[in-house]
């Protein structure tokens, strides 16, 4: 493989399953690549919603001071390189390909998933870049997610809600236990859930993790929109405080300068306000709705979603804030079929179907009666929109 695209195509077809939770495979390769573990501090972030925002706040805080920071997140919105950020700069194709080559040479007969490749690549890139702190986002769950191969210095659990029930269980208690799996004995874990499942507390007591709850929102200026982001900001500050004592003015500057694509991201075009949000489960859609209702106005939604989501509840939560729905297909096998999606809207008026994002956006931008367009439902929806805007 010579190009990044060639490497990614290869990884897509290397393993028998796209999602195959478990640490056995990655542990074998990790121990060969890092026999003594990684040589930087690690903050591991799990949770149903708020992971990306919390990481953006932590990353922004460290960028205010002379501490080299890196973050590994997923999925990417436009470009794969977005997954690996060092001091605010994306890793280059060459850096990523070099890491992949090293993993390929080391793995032998051990089959790795696409996400396992990216996790190990992040650790190699951050090692070569000599970062001081790496923030690692859990892809799915926590206990069996490939990121959990690394022993962290601080564990962060942002929130617990029902999502990915096929893999994590269909109760907050079972999901909480999976997220709790990122805790380590005698190491701090910061939890921002306002009503934490008992399993989180029980597991912390079982292994002797130092569990702290963050209940009060941050009251200063924040760089991300929405009341819920104030809780994520407070969570980020507490996570940083576990590793470093930083001047308050630098911490507050980091919080106010934080930016993140696809989290109530606002753009303007043709006298319209466009809101892009990757909200893809009921809790995230509730947070989006609450933020929209702070400034009520006629609104068009462009929407699609993956098949395994609680679609009816998502629609019920936000529909009082939406005057017209434009439905678009997604270019992924996990998307709901348009026929099934239309059925979910059988009780609502003003629902139209478009062949793709460009045609839906064209219609929305030329609608005279509304000034706001909300594009949400999946990372894929936001990606498709940003390619056009």
């Amino acid at each position: 493989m010579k190009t990044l695209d060639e490497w990614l195509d290869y990884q897509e077809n290397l393993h028998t399953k796209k999602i195959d939770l478990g640490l056995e495979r990655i542990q074998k390769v990790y121990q060969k690549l890092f026999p003594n573990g990684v040589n930087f501090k690690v903050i591991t972030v799990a949770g149903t919603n708020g992971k990306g925002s919390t990481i953006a706040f932590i990353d922004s805080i460290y960028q205010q001071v002379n501490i080299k920071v890196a973050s590994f997140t997923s999925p990417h919105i436009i470009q794969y390189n977005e997954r690996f950020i060092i001091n605010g700069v994306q890793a280059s194709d060459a850096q990523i390909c070099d890491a992949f080559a090293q993993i390929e040479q080391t793995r032998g007969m051990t089959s790795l998933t696409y996400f396992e490749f990216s996790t190990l690549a992040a650790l190699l890139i951050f090692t070569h870049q000599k970062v001081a702190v790496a923030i690692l986002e859990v892809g799915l769950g926590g206990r069996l997610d490939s990121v959990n191969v690394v022993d962290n210095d601080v564990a962060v659990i942002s929130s617990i809600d029902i999502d990915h029930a096929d893999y994590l269980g269909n109760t907050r208690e079972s999901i909480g236990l999976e997220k709790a799996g990122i805790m380590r004995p005698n190491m701090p874990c910061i939890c921002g859930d306002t009503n934490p499942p008992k399993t989180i507390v029980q597991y912390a007591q079982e292994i002797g993790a130092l569990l702290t709850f963050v209940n009060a929102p941050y009251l200063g200026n924040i760089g991300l929109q929405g009341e819920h982001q104030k809780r994520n900001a407070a969570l980020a500050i507490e996570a940083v405080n576990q590793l470093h004592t930083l001047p308050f003015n630098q911490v507050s500057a980091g919080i106010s300068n934080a930016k993140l694509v696809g989290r109530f991201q606002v753009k303007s075009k043709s006298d319209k306000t466009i809101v892009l949000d990757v909200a893809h489960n009921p809790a995230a859609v509730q947070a989006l709705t609450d933020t929209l209702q702070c400034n009520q106005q006629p609104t068009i939604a462009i929407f699609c979603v993956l098949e395994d989501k609680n679609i009816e509840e998502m629609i019920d939560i936000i529909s009082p804030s939406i005057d017209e729905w434009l439905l678009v297909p997604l270019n992924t096998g996990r998307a709901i079929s348009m026929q099934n999606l239309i059925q979910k809207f059988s009780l609502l008026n003003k629902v139209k179907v478009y062949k793709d994002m460009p045609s839906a956006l064209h219609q929305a931008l030329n609608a005279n009666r509304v000034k706001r367009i909300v594009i949400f439902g999946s990372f894929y929806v936001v990606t498709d929109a940003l390619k056009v805007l």
Side-chain angles (χ1 to χ4, degrees), residues 74-98:
S74 63
H76 57 277
I77 301 286
I78 300 293
Q79 194 175 21
Y80 182 84
N81 310 56
E82 296 165 25
R83 295 175 181 236
F84 319 98
I85 305 291
I86 304 100
N87 273 0
V89 179
Q90 294 179 15
S92 67
D93 285 12
Q95 288 172 322
I96 299 169
C97 290
D98 286 347

Side-chain angles (χ1 to χ4, degrees), residues 218-284:
Y218 176 72
L219 298 179
N221 293 325
I222 61 173
L224 305 180
Q225 291 197 49
E227 286 297 308
H228 62 290
Q229 296 293 9
K230 295 180 179 179
R231 294 192 176 278
N232 293 329
L235 191 61
I237 291 169
E238 185 57 36
V240 171
N241 286 344
Q242 294 294 328
L243 288 180
H244 298 95
T245 302
L246 301 177
F248 177 74
N249 65 321
Q250 292 176 323
V251 172
S252 59
I255 295 298
S256 62
N257 288 328
K259 293 181 176 59
L260 189 60
V261 174
R263 276 67 165 191
F264 211 91
Q265 180 183 358
V266 178
K267 287 180 168 285
S268 296
K269 190 168 184 177
S270 302
D271 82 348
K272 300 283 195 295
T273 298
I274 302 172
V275 176
L276 300 118
D277 201 294
V278 298
H280 57 275
N281 55 51

Side-chain angles (χ1 to χ4, degrees), residues 14-50:
L14 178 64
H15 195 69
T16 52
K17 295 181 184 175
K18 291 197 178 212
I19 299 175
D20 193 4
L21 295 177
L23 298 178
E24 185 180 349
R25 294 177 308 276
I26 193 170
Q27 185 80 47
K28 290 178 183 175
V29 186
Y30 175 77
Q31 287 174 341
K32 291 178 183 176
L33 290 169
F34 303 97
N36 300 314
V38 295
N39 59 356
F40 43 78
K41 297 290 186 183
V42 172
I43 302 174
T44 302
V45 182
T48 307
N49 296 306

Side-chain angles (χ1 to χ4, degrees), residues 325-336:
W325 292 83
L326 310 184
L327 309 183
V328 293
L330 296 181
N331 186 26
T332 171
R334 296 171 58 205
I336 188 170

